[in-house]
């Protein structure tokens, strides 16, 4: 792969070549090898053929040579015979007329160019020679005479020249003597030989005790000289290098008997014999070359046909790797294996693209409503901020959370919950569009703001992105949306009232980046829900611990699963006897880094997220576990706090039943504290749950009484037993007459309604005394004890009860 620092082998290394070059190269090499072997076989065959042909030619050549010599001998013998038959000559021989003999020898010898002409007697003794005869020849002639008697001609060297001798008998009618004639052999004989047979002839003299030498030759002078050089080592028959070129040679002995020998060397160059085949070989070589080229071209093309698609497949897979699934694959139309591969690959591409699309859909879209989801919304906010940064524009994010959605889910089932969400999504979309249209009509321009985006963030939470909008414009839209919610939504046959809390946060006033903007909008939304409902623009005052909030949920979950929560108990005393008769269960978080975290730092958050339900169950189970023991210490009833979310949980009573059973506790030993606001969030539903809890024997208490707006007359309808005056009034009652009045009238009213009254926040003896004088029933506060860990509670109890024995009336 590109980018890897592996050293590439040089191009000429076979393993570094491209596949196509390798394939082409391999087949070309194979072809070349085959051709070379063929060429070699043909070459040797040709050479062998040429050699045997040449050898045969040489054999034939030898006969031709003999015939040439014989023919010449016959010619010469005829000349000699003419003389022998000459009447005048015979008469001169018969009369021993020596001068006539000599002159006849002279005449005839000169006529046929004889170098010597002589007459021998029957004893082969030299009788006369012509005047023109070469005297050097005479001794040779005398020596040869006995040989010539047996055959008609003989060759002999005289000095450095070869001669041919013939001898014919002269009869009249009896043998009277012999006529002998000798002729110099010259290059014409060799040239005749060459003309007749195509072979070169060379006469070589081999003296008895000297190096052989060339006498005459039909070879070119340079070659003859070269031959002279190699002559000593030359074989009589076989191969011989003349001037560096191979020749075949065959020798024919011309002389017999003693004396310097002469032989004829017949030679022919091998190259000449091969010559006719040479052009054949050249043609073959040319054909081979053309074949190779064609073959190389063919295999390159074939290899290309294979490797090109492979390369394009490789490119395609790189594209797939980059996440580009759009371009279809090439070569899918081919009918071969490559085509199949390409088709399979393309199939894979389409599948991956589909899966990728699916994943993207899951990752960016909400399945139920078809709206963008939280991830996409967050991206869009980021992008909008990036754009607006340059344009110096505002951005508003509007977050909306339905009220009581859980009720719909619980009461009507999840299918109804789903259709409710879809209905809400539609309404929001319509409201958004009509608002955009209004805006456009006012501005006389663009009908829809291009960047407006509606998303479902999850559950019953929706969000709107409004690029270009400030807090005022966003608030106007929020009003519009809430207005759209006024008409109830019909699910199957049930009309459901819609309401929601809307939070608004603006960039850049409220947050610097997308995540912070979303959190601020959420904080504003929770504030809206906690207070009046309707819309709330973000205000730093409502968001004190947002940084802490961020990771809190996961930390809380972790806390619950890893036993970081602690049960604390705060005693309640009966004012009439001074004895501790009750206790409130309060939660603490033993955080590994932050230490003991007070509930106000995480309970409100847990309430917002619904996590409080798990905390409630945990604290309830813990108190149920200690219930019997507390009973033994004199605690008749333990108070446990419930939140709004608990009240809306349909299954809470059943869950509490299970826990009671598990620890063998009874409902009568528990008092459940509920704040006014928890009830007022959804009074109908709260009432239903409270009734079911009361039925089981749980005592119910209104916590933080005085901070809400509920009337006692309304509370009277509920199955409550106790009123807990909020500590703000209790703590203030010594200094503020107004607070004291409220406490007094509340106690009176509650008693009139048959409720017992508890005052919390009793911080000193003065308050305690004041409450006692007002006939308040129970008191809880730091004056008696702060909330204590379970382990310390028993010691406190023993101490306290000892100070306040049962018989005494006042503590
Ligand atoms: P709360 O239900 O009103 O609990 C009484 C709070 O008043 C406790 O605070 C307690 O420590 C405090 N308090 C008692 N006597 C005095 C006093 O003389 N002077 C002053 N200044 N304060 C006094 P804590 O434990 O910090 O709890 C705060 C709130 O957290 C609770 O108010 C309750 O709303 C919530 N909370 C605590 N534990 C739980 C729980 O287990 N479940 C639920 N749902 N809420 C809890
Ligand atoms: Ca309480
Ligand atoms: Ca309280």
């Amino acid at each position: 792969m590109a980018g890897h620092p592996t050293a590439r082998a040089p191009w000429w290394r076979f393993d570094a070549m491209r596949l196509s070059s390798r394939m082409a190269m391999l087949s070309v090499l194979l072809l070349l090898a085959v051709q070379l072997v063929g060429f070699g076989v043909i070459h040797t065959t040709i050479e062998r053929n040429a050699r045997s042909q040449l050898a045969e030619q040489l054999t034939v050549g030898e006969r031709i040579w003999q015939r040439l010599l014989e023919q010449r001998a016959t010619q010469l013998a005829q000349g000699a015979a003419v003389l022998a038959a000459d009447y005048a000559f015979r008469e001169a021989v018969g009369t021993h007329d020596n001068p006539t003999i000599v002159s006849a020898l002279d005449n005839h010898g000169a006529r046929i160019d004889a170098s010597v002409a002589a007459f021998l007697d029957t004893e082969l003794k030299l009788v006369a020679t012509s005047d023109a005869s070469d005297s050097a020849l005479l001794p040779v002639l005398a020596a040869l005479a006995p040989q010539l008697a047996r055959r008609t001609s003989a060759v002999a060297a005289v000095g450095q020249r070869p001669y041919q001798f013939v001898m014919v008998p002269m009869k009249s009618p009896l043998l009277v003597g012999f006529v002998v004639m000798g002729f110099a052999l010259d290059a014409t004989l060799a040239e005749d030989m060459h003309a007749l047979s195509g072979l070169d002839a060379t006469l070589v003299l081999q003296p008895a005790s000297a190096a052989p030498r060339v006498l005459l030759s039909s070879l070119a002078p340079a070659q003859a000289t070269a031959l002279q050089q190699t002559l000593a080592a030359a074989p009589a028959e076989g191969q011989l290098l003349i001037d560096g070129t191979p020749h075949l040679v065959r020798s024919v002995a011309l002389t017999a008997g003693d004396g310097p020998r002469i032989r004829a060397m017949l030679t022919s160059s091998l190259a000449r014999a091969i010559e006719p085949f040479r052009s054949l070989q050249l043609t073959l070589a040319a054909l081979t070359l053309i074949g190779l080229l064609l073959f190389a071209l063919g295999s390159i093309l074939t290899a290309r046909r294979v490797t090109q698609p492979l390369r394009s497949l490789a490119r395609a897979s790189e594209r797939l790797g980059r996440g580009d699934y759009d371009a279809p694959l090439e070569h899918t139309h081919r009918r071969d294996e490559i085509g199949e591969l390409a088709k399979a690959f393309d199939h894979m591409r389409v599948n991956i693209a589909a899966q990728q699309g699916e994943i993207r859909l899951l990752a960016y879209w909400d399945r139920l409503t078809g709206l963008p989801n939280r991830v996409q919304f967050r991206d869009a906010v980021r992008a909008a901020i990036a754009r607006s940064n340059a344009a110096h524009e505002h951005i508003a994010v509007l977050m909306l959370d339905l009220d009581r959605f859980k009720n719909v889910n619980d009461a009507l089932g999840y299918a109804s919950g789903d259709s409710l969400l879809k209905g809400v999504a539609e309404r929001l979309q319509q409201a958004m569009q009509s608002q955009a249209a209004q805006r456009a009509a006012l501005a006389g321009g663009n009908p829809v703001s291009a960047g407006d985006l509606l998303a479902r963030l999850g559950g019953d939470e929706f969000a709107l992105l409004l690029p270009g909008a400030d807090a005022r414009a966003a608030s106007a839209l929020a009003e519009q949306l809430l207005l759209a919610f006024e008409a109830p939504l019909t699910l199957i046959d049930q009309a459901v009232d819609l309401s929601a809390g809307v939070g608004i946060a603006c960039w850049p006033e409220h947050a610097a980046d997308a995540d912070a903007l979303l959190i601020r909008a959420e904080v504003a939304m929770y504030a809206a829900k906690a207070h009046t409902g309707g819309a709330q623009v973000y205000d730093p005052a409502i968001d004190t611990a947002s940084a802490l909030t961020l990771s809190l949920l996961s930390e809380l979950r972790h806390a619950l699963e890893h036993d970081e929560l602690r049960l604390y108990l705060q005693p309640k005393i009966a004012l009439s006897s001074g004895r501790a008769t009750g206790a409130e269960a309060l939660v603490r978080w033993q955080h590994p880094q932050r230490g003991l975290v007070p509930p106000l730092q995480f309970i409100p958050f847990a309430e917002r997220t619904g996590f409080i339900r798990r905390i409630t169950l945990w604290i309830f189970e813990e108190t149920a576990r200690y219930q019997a023991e507390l009973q033994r210490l004199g605690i008749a009833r333990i108070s446990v706090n419930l939140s709004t979310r608990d009240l809306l949980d349909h299954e809470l009573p059943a869950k509490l039943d299970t826990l009671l059973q598990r620890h063998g506790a009874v409902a009568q030993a528990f008092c459940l504290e509920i704040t006014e606001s928890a009830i007022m969030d959804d009074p109908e539903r709260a009432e239903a749950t409270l009734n079911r809890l009361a039925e089981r024997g749980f005592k119910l208490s209104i916590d933080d009484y005085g901070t809400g707006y509920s009337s006692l007359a309304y509370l009277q309808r509920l199955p409550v037993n106790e009123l807990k005056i909020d500590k703000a009034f209790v703590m203030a009652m010594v200094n503020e007459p107004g607070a004291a009045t409220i406490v007094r009238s509340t106690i009176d009213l509650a008693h009139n309604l048959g409720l017992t009254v508890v005052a919390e926040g009793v911080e000193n003896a003065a308050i305690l005394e004041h409450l006692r004088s007002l006939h308040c029933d129970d008191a809880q506060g730091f004056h008696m004890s702060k909330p204590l860990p379970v382990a310390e509670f028993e010691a406190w109890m023993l101490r306290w009860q000892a100070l306040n024995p049962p018989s005494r009336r006042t503590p």
Side-chain angles (χ1 to χ4, degrees), residues 653-663:
K655 286 177 188 163
L656 296 187
D657 282 348
T658 314
L659 294 179
L660 287 176
Q661 267 175 17
R662 187 182 297 166
H663 296 283

Side-chain angles (χ1 to χ4, degrees), residues 566-568 570 584-588 598-604 607 612 615-616 618-620 639-644 646 673 675 703-704 724 726-727 730-731 759-764 767 780-787:
R566 299 282 178 270
L567 170 65
Y568 272 58
Q570 188 179 30
E584 183 177 3
L586 294 159
V587 71
R588 298 287 183 273
L600 283 179
Q601 282 186 19
F602 63 94
I603 292 290
E607 280 176 344
I612 190 65
I615 294 181
T616 300
W618 183 85
I619 204 103
F620 190 85
S639 297
V640 172
N641 294 284
L642 292 190
S643 71
T644 315
D646 294 314
E673 297 188 0
T675 59
D703 203 353
D704 297 348
K724 217 171 165 181
D726 191 67
K727 53 182 171 286
V730 176
M731 279 166 11
E760 63 176 12
V762 180
E763 289 195 337
N764 51 50
I767 298 175
Q780 178 184 350
F782 291 173
H783 179 60
M784 281 69 78
S785 171
K786 291 199 166 184

